[in-house]
Amino acid sequence: MRLSHSLIPTLKETPAEAQIASHRLMLRAGLVRQTSAGIYAWLPIGHRVLRNIERIVREEQDAAGAQECLMPTIQPAELWRESGRYDDYGKEMLRIRDRHDRELLYGPTNEEMITDLLRGSVRSYRELPQILYHIQWKFRDEVRPRFGVMRGREFLMKDAYSFDLDYAGAVVSYRRMMLAYMRTFQRLGLKAIPMAADSGPIGGDMSHEFIILAPTGESQVYFDAAFEEIDYLAQGAGGFDHANASDLERFFTSMTTHYAATDEKHDPAAWASVPAARRREGRGIEVGHIFYFGTKYSAAMGFAVAGADGKPVHPEMGSYGIGVSRLVGGVIEASHDDAGIIWPDAIAPFRAAILNLKQGDPVCDSLCEALYARLGPAALYDDRAERAGVKFADADLMGHPWQIVVGPRGAATGRVELKRRASGERVELARDDALTRIG
């Protein structure tokens, strides 16, 4: 993408309404623009980040055996009345009446909808287990939306739902999804800690929230350093296989044995038993939440399958959410400096920015065009007739993992300066060597 022809409206000044780093930087780097309270339009580079996160989430859900579907944003109120949640959910639910005076709602979650879909399609225990997910926009009418996409009213979420014949099967599904989440966060370049949590309006008696570390996080967290040493992506010996029940049990034991708690559930006595060298404290942001709630919805909504003995059985259920749009803000909170965003390689909108320091110079232009042709969609080419300082500042602000700086002196000998955004390291290389380093 050529910056001179792109809609990337960077800002020099921080908008007054932005209170936290991610909100400030998302506005300044041109990722989003607010359209109304707690609702944002995603501009081109913000949308690219959103899609990169979505891709990794989807790949890990698929690898864990979940099936993707797509449910509507608008749901009939009668489904929520069946479950008993319509009146209980509160004012966060946006309630609507259509022209025929039918009661509808903009879905804040999909337990009722997915239960209704399966009760119309699944009849026998032989058709279980099932795990289905979708990536869909949700709406919760927060009384005080703030902190940009971290606590907005409209948000993109991956929500998955498991259906098992019995408790033992439900536990396996729960552990499988927990492993998928830890793999997802590691691929996103994040350190995530699973912590026992309250179930809230979803319900249930087994629940974990996933906290990523960030200096400006909303909660104080305490955890054992053992979490930092686990490679959730490892294969073979020492790794964890989604399809192996004993691997999942070993994984779940490691997740629940080591100490981890937010300040709300912090137990000073248990914390004191963790060796001092392994104690870690900090601030954290919730980016995912998983729940097991048994037959809460299947029983209330009359969903049963024929068991092996022919008798009806209400499937055991769980739900699993990741805030895809919230993760954009969460990553920035965890990875930025005074100059701007520092994107992990896996989700950056562009892998590299090409900075032409003398636009119009034939040698510089030729070298930049050759680099741009080689990198293609992975590069943002800053071909603007701007001062070098402006280009450097915008590249740092937008957070591209690599910057390829092309000036007249180096271009004359086919050399460029390569900067790594995360470390600030700069090195002068031949063009092809720089491309090899970027990968």
Side-chain angles (χ1 to χ4, degrees), residues 174-309:
Y174 188 91
R175 293 170 177 175
R176 181 173 291 129
M177 283 292 104
M178 180 182 273
L179 175 56
Y181 275 38
M182 298 308 292
R183 289 172 56 88
T184 297
F185 295 128
Q186 185 171 330
R187 287 185 61 189
L188 293 174
L190 297 169
K191 290 180 180 178
I193 314 297
M195 299 190 178
D198 293 323
S199 296
I202 301 294
D205 57 7
M206 183 163 60
S207 174
H208 285 84
E209 60 186 358
F210 297 83
I211 304 290
I212 62 171
L213 303 180
T216 53
E218 56 209 354
S219 302
Q220 180 71 15
V221 297
Y222 306 83
F223 64 96
D224 191 316
F227 285 105
E228 299 177 337
E229 300 161 4
I230 301 171
D231 181 2
Y232 303 99
L233 299 172
Q235 302 293 318
F240 304 111
D241 183 351
H242 290 110
N244 187 305
S246 61
D247 269 9
L248 291 174
E249 183 175 5
R250 180 167 55 87
F251 158 75
F252 190 73
T253 298
S254 69
M255 293 298 97
T256 54
T257 300
H258 304 304
Y259 187 88
T262 62
D263 47 3
E264 296 158 337
K265 288 182 170 284
H266 183 49
D267 180 347
W271 182 235
S273 69
V274 178
R278 285 180 19 206
R279 293 180 202 159
R280 300 288 185 270
E281 298 182 30
R283 305 295 295 178
I285 298 168
E286 181 192 340
V287 290
H289 208 148
I290 61 177
F291 311 83
Y292 159 75
F293 40 69
T295 62
K296 173 181 170 67
Y297 296 92
S298 58
M301 298 181 66
F303 172 33
V305 299
D309 58 2

Side-chain angles (χ1 to χ4, degrees), residues 282-407:
R283 305 295 295 178
I285 298 168
E286 181 192 340
V287 290
H289 208 148
I290 61 177
F291 311 83
Y292 159 75
F293 40 69
T295 62
K296 173 181 170 67
Y297 296 92
S298 58
M301 298 181 66
F303 172 33
V305 299
D309 58 2
K311 294 179 181 179
V313 178
H314 296 299
E316 303 269 341
M317 293 176 58
S319 69
Y320 316 90
I322 284 183
V324 176
S325 53
R326 184 179 173 85
L327 269 168
V328 180
V331 168
I332 295 172
E333 290 293 332
S335 184
H336 70 275
D337 60 16
D338 291 342
I341 301 166
I342 303 173
W343 289 117
D345 290 50
I347 61 172
F350 298 96
R351 186 155 180 78
I354 302 167
L355 310 184
N356 188 339
L357 300 189
K358 194 170 183 182
Q359 188 71 27
D361 177 83
V363 179
C364 286
D365 290 353
S366 176
L367 180 52
C368 286
E369 290 292 344
L371 289 163
Y372 186 50
R374 288 278 297 275
L375 288 169
L380 178 66
Y381 176 20
D382 191 343
D383 60 341
R384 298 173 299 171
E386 285 281 6
R387 292 179 292 107
V390 172
K391 297 190 176 189
F392 288 135
D394 279 352
D396 281 347
L397 175 62
M398 287 185 270
H400 316 292
W402 298 94
Q403 296 172 22
I404 309 173
V405 183
V406 179

Side-chain angles (χ1 to χ4, degrees), residues 122-194:
V122 174
R123 301 280 184 259
S124 168
Y125 75 96
R126 293 187 179 90
E127 298 171 81
L128 298 178
Q130 297 279 349
I131 304 178
L132 293 102
Y133 77 97
H134 72 162
I135 300 175
Q136 178 63 285
W137 290 95
K138 302 282 191 285
F139 186 90
R140 294 176 188 166
D141 200 3
E142 294 277 354
V143 63
R144 293 186 193 86
R146 59 192 188 279
F147 305 150
V149 302
M150 295 294 291
R151 189 168 293 178
R153 293 194 295 164
E154 185 182 56
F155 52 95
L156 187 63
M157 178 176 170
K158 187 286 303 179
D159 42 321
Y161 304 90
S162 62
F163 296 81
D164 287 272
L165 186 64
D166 53 27
Y167 176 77
V171 167
V172 171
S173 292
Y174 188 91
R175 293 170 177 175
R176 181 173 291 129
M177 283 292 104
M178 180 182 273
L179 175 56
Y181 275 38
M182 298 308 292
R183 289 172 56 88
T184 297
F185 295 128
Q186 185 171 330
R187 287 185 61 189
L188 293 174
L190 297 169
K191 290 180 180 178
I193 314 297

Side-chain angles (χ1 to χ4, degrees), residues 24-41:
R24 292 194 296 269
L25 291 171
M26 289 181 74
L27 292 172
R28 289 195 55 221
L31 274 69
V32 297
R33 286 294 181 267
Q34 181 172 301
T35 61
S36 62
I39 300 175
Y40 291 85

